[in-house]
Amino acid sequence: MQNHEHDPLRPHAHEPNPEPPHDDPTITVVAPHGETFLVTPEMLRQWPATTAHHCFIVSTGHGTSGPFDFTGVTLPDLCSALGIAPTWREAEIVSADGFGTRITREEAAPNAPIGPVVLAYACNGEPLSRRAGLVRLIVPGERDDALRQVKWVATVRFVSL
């Protein structure tokens, strides 16, 4: 039985962490069948880019800032670049400091009502610093509680249908 008390993907409060947890920006991507890929921010910059316009960062304890334009790779484009079949149901995104969220395939679709969900590496045309997250999950429709914005993305796990 899984201990849900420490499950980073269950809804929970998250205290802001102003300092990067470590210096390694490599993202581990796990395909539904278990194959693992190591992805760097430099690799992300080589793949099709999508910009999510007029986004806000909702930070626990720090209020809301923005609007910003975040550029990055959508989850479907990440899958395409890595050769992962589009048979996944949801993606689990976890930061290097242990905070995480889930995004369904429908939410990640290019024309989803919430806007393009991206693994962002740039904000307003400038690369994100390590302190700003270097690679962070941006969910444009989030406005309330910062429970879906993931800073310092370390793992993306695709769960199959």
Side-chain angles (χ1 to χ4, degrees), residues 21-33:
H22 57 69
D23 290 332
D24 185 2
T26 305
I27 299 167
T28 301
V29 178
V30 182
H33 58 279

Side-chain angles (χ1 to χ4, degrees), residues 48-133:
T50 298
T51 299
H53 297 282
H54 202 74
C55 298
F56 293 86
I57 295 296
V58 184
S59 182
T60 306
H62 294 286
T64 301
S65 60
F68 303 107
D69 292 339
F70 284 99
T71 301
V73 176
T74 66
L75 296 175
D77 284 344
L78 176 66
C79 287
S80 180
L82 295 174
I84 297 172
T87 59
W88 53 280
R89 169 176 42 92
E90 64 186 17
E92 301 172 344
I93 299 93
V94 180
S95 74
D97 69 355
F99 178 73
T101 193
R102 288 184 174 92
I103 300 293
T104 67
R105 196 167 92 189
E106 291 77 24
E107 290 173 315
N111 58 354
I114 62 173
V117 174
V118 295
L119 293 174
Y121 50 75
C123 178
N124 295 334
E126 296 294 323
L128 288 172
S129 67
R130 183 68 177 148
R131 185 175 178 87

Side-chain angles (χ1 to χ4, degrees), residues 25 39-47 134-135:
V39 175
T40 65
E42 293 77 22
M43 293 168 70
L44 291 175
R45 289 184 194 96
Q46 301 303 312
W47 297 333
L134 197 56
V135 175

